[in-house]
Amino acid sequence: MIALTAAEIAAATGGTRSSVAPEHVVTGPVVTDSREVLPGGLFVALPGEHVDGHDFAATAVEAGAALVLAARELPGLPCVVVPDVERALGDLARDVLVRLRDAAAEPGGSGLRVVGVTGSVGKTTTKDVLAQLCGAVGPTVAPVRSFNNEIGLPLTVLRADEQTRFLVLEMGASGPGHLTYLTDIAPPDVAVVLVVGQAHLGGFGGGIDAVARAKAEIVLGLVPDGTAVLNGDDPRVRAMADVAPGPVVLFGAAPDAQVRVEDVRLDALGRARFRLVHTLDGARDARDVELRLVGEHHVHNALAAAAAALTVGIDLDTVAAGLSAADALSPHRMHVVDRPDGVTVVDDSYNANPDSMRAALKALAVIAGRERRSVAVLGEMLELGEESRAAHDAIGRLVVRLNIGLTVVVGEGARAIRDGANHEGSWGDEIVLVDDVATAAQLLAEELRAGDVVLVKSSYGSGLWQLGDLLVGADA
């Protein structure tokens, strides 16, 4: 974070100082975990359901925190006391970003550009790829893992400083108004919308059209001259052009997309090769790309990252080379490991919804091909509301249509996957329902053999990421 005095932090958050002089300076990073405190940093004492950050404030100060952002006075500890710590964290991030933008506009400034990424699927991978493209040409700050909510986004903003040229932000929404809140903290210069799908349906109300309205909030939250980068292959995303306050760039396979994909082919490992075409300057220009990411669904993620990168001024040669070199940086996201025993593990257990589940299963079928056995270990897709049973049933039917060799359904919440597979015509031992992760691990230890390709996929809250860690090994 940029250096700020206690008085400046109090002014930004509407707080009051306690046991700290107004000129006392914070120079280190902002953290919510006392174990991550560095000397000179700011410790944000967030209250929680199970632990209260205030209980760790003294430990944070002992570790070198210069100041605590707190909801109550902590006698003897340097604090700024605010009515709502979470809101204050957002207020501080907003204030810091305004300062950074002002500094960036000065002669010799960084020319800071803020890019926000949202969508029902693909946000984290797109963010990771875009951060690698931007990082090749200038200082870039992007979220760690999937820091995309009302806490993670401000923490990411507060990592930026006067040298930051690109601030890439992942913006998640599990209900109406969430993106409005995030864009109020960090209005993007470029807003990327990937796809409107069935993720978090239970939180939106009104079905998929309500999801579309909520995702459009990122476009409405652009700076006045900001650019909307929209998936031209998704009608609901394309329609967001109607509310864009400035230029619109379409990406996809559609003929009118300014950043377009042509001639997509998959290799034996499920990695896509394609022709990246753009007409942003009026004339056609194209380069070949060979992704290292596994799964055809990553083509749209790569296109979105390319469109955003081109929009902020990165040249096509750099973009194409960067796409071909980009890795999936966040854990449990199509992470492919070839084990010494001949088993290939595809760990995509960080999150799941119907769209990403279908994409992962198709990738499994491609990787396994006709010579290897495909094994799908599937857990519950959470937050689907009243659509949950039908969505899980449909996944079970897809498993049969893709001819997956063995499907292990984990947990009662995912039972409808087995039911759907049975209704589609599965029989014998092709579909197995087990109670929990431990039972699934025991079954796989007995069942897996050399040549198998095993996919692990579920929502994070289902806990299958633990099985992913076990299958790939602690050091992978």
Side-chain angles (χ1 to χ4, degrees):
M1 187 178 77
I2 61 174
L4 293 174
T5 66
E8 289 173 322
I9 292 173
T13 60
T16 57
R17 292 177 291 104
S18 175
S19 302
V20 65
E23 66 275 10
H24 189 67
V25 180
V26 173
T27 58
V30 180
V31 299
T32 59
D33 187 331
S34 61
R35 295 167 295 185
E36 298 175 356
V37 166
L38 293 177
L42 173 65
F43 175 64
V44 181
L46 287 169
E49 294 182 9
H50 304 293
V51 294
D52 186 342
H54 295 80
D55 296 337
F56 300 90
T59 301
V61 173
E62 290 173 3
L67 190 68
V68 178
L69 191 63
R72 61 177 184 268
E73 290 192 14
L74 300 169
L77 299 181
C79 297
V80 167
V81 181
V82 296
D84 184 321
V85 175
E86 183 181 297
R87 284 275 175 177
L89 177 63
D91 292 339
L92 180 60
R94 182 187 303 106
D95 181 82
V96 166
L97 184 53
V98 169
R99 292 169 183 260
L100 290 175
R101 278 181 154 144
D102 288 344
E106 294 293 327
S110 67
L112 174 67
R113 303 296 299 279
V114 179
V115 183
V117 180
T118 197
S120 298
V121 293
K123 293 186 296 296
T124 300
T125 298
T126 302
K127 170 267 298 182
D128 285 344
V129 173
L130 179 57
Q132 291 170 79
L133 298 180
C134 292
V137 298
T140 299
V141 170
V144 295
R145 299 186 295 278
S146 185
F147 275 26
N148 64 19
N149 62 9
E150 63 277 4
I151 297 171
L153 180 133
L155 289 174
T156 303
V157 171
L158 291 168
R159 287 172 44 218
D161 60 24
E162 295 88 348
Q163 283 71 51
T164 302
R165 183 173 172 188
F166 301 107
L167 176 57
V168 179
L169 299 173
E170 181 179 340
M171 296 185 172
S174 54
H178 291 185
L179 292 179
T180 297
Y181 178 76
L182 297 181
T183 57
D184 181 62
I185 294 170
D189 298 291
V190 177
V192 181
V193 186
L194 301 171
V195 66
V196 172
Q198 293 178 292
H200 308 297
L201 273 178
F204 289 96
I208 198 165
D209 289 331
V211 177
R213 289 191 295 271
K215 297 299 183 185
E217 292 171 12
I218 194 175
V219 176
L220 294 167
L222 278 160
V223 298
D225 58 346
T227 300
V229 174
L230 306 177
N231 182 354
D233 298 336
D234 185 323
R236 291 183 177 87
V237 177
R238 178 187 278 263
M240 296 176 194
D242 294 339
V243 299
V248 173
V249 173
L250 298 179
F251 66 89
D256 62 339
Q258 297 102 311
V259 180
R260 193 165 63 254
V261 61
E262 296 179 353
D263 192 23
V264 178
R265 294 158 291 150
L266 296 182
D267 68 12
L269 296 179
R271 299 171 301 195
R273 302 177 181 180
F274 59 89
R275 188 78 167 159
L276 172 65
V277 180
H278 94 84
T279 55
L280 290 174
D281 300 326
R284 175 187 169 99
D285 203 355
R287 299 290 185 278
D288 290 326
V289 171
E290 297 184 10
L291 294 182
R292 298 171 64 173
L293 306 174
V294 175
E296 186 175 6
H297 58 292
H298 285 312
V299 171
H300 262 81
N301 298 335
L303 273 182
L310 291 164
T311 299
V312 298
I314 301 176
D315 66 86
L316 183 59
D317 286 327
T318 300
V319 169
L323 291 179
S324 296
D327 291 309
L329 303 180
S330 299
H332 302 295
R333 296 181 185 274
M334 294 303 287
H335 178 46
V336 181
V337 175
D338 292 316
R339 301 194 327 192
D341 62 357
V343 173
T344 297
V345 179
V346 183
D347 179 9
D348 197 34
S349 58
Y350 187 85
N351 215 340
N353 58 54
D355 295 315
S356 67
M357 187 74 87
R358 285 191 290 268
L361 285 167
K362 291 175 182 177
L364 169 64
V366 169
I367 296 170
R370 296 182 178 180
E371 288 73 37
R372 307 177 69 183
R373 182 175 66 154
S374 53
V375 179
V377 186
L378 308 178
E380 184 177 2
M381 300 178 287
L382 300 173
E383 301 181 51
L384 294 180
E386 62 184 19
E387 303 291 331
S388 180
R389 177 166 180 79
H392 285 87
D393 181 281
I395 294 301
R397 295 174 185 272
L398 179 62
V399 163
V400 177
R401 293 169 191 159
L402 292 174
N403 199 29
I404 302 302
L406 171 65
T407 300
V408 180
V409 180
V410 184
E412 186 63 28
R415 174 185 286 272
I417 295 177
R418 188 197 65 174
D419 296 343
N422 288 339
H423 292 153
E424 190 67 19
S426 176
W427 58 278
D429 297 328
E430 297 168 355
I431 303 287
V432 179
L433 175 66
V434 299
D435 291 334
D436 51 35
V437 171
T439 308
Q442 182 178 357
L443 173 66
L444 292 171
E446 299 169 354
E447 181 68 29
L448 291 180
R449 56 181 183 262
D452 286 350
V453 183
V454 54
L455 167 72
V456 184
K457 181 72 173 171
S458 75
S459 291
Y460 189 84
S462 300
L464 273 194
W465 59 270
Q466 301 170 73
L467 181 60
D469 282 345
L470 179 64
L471 289 175
V472 302
D475 297 331

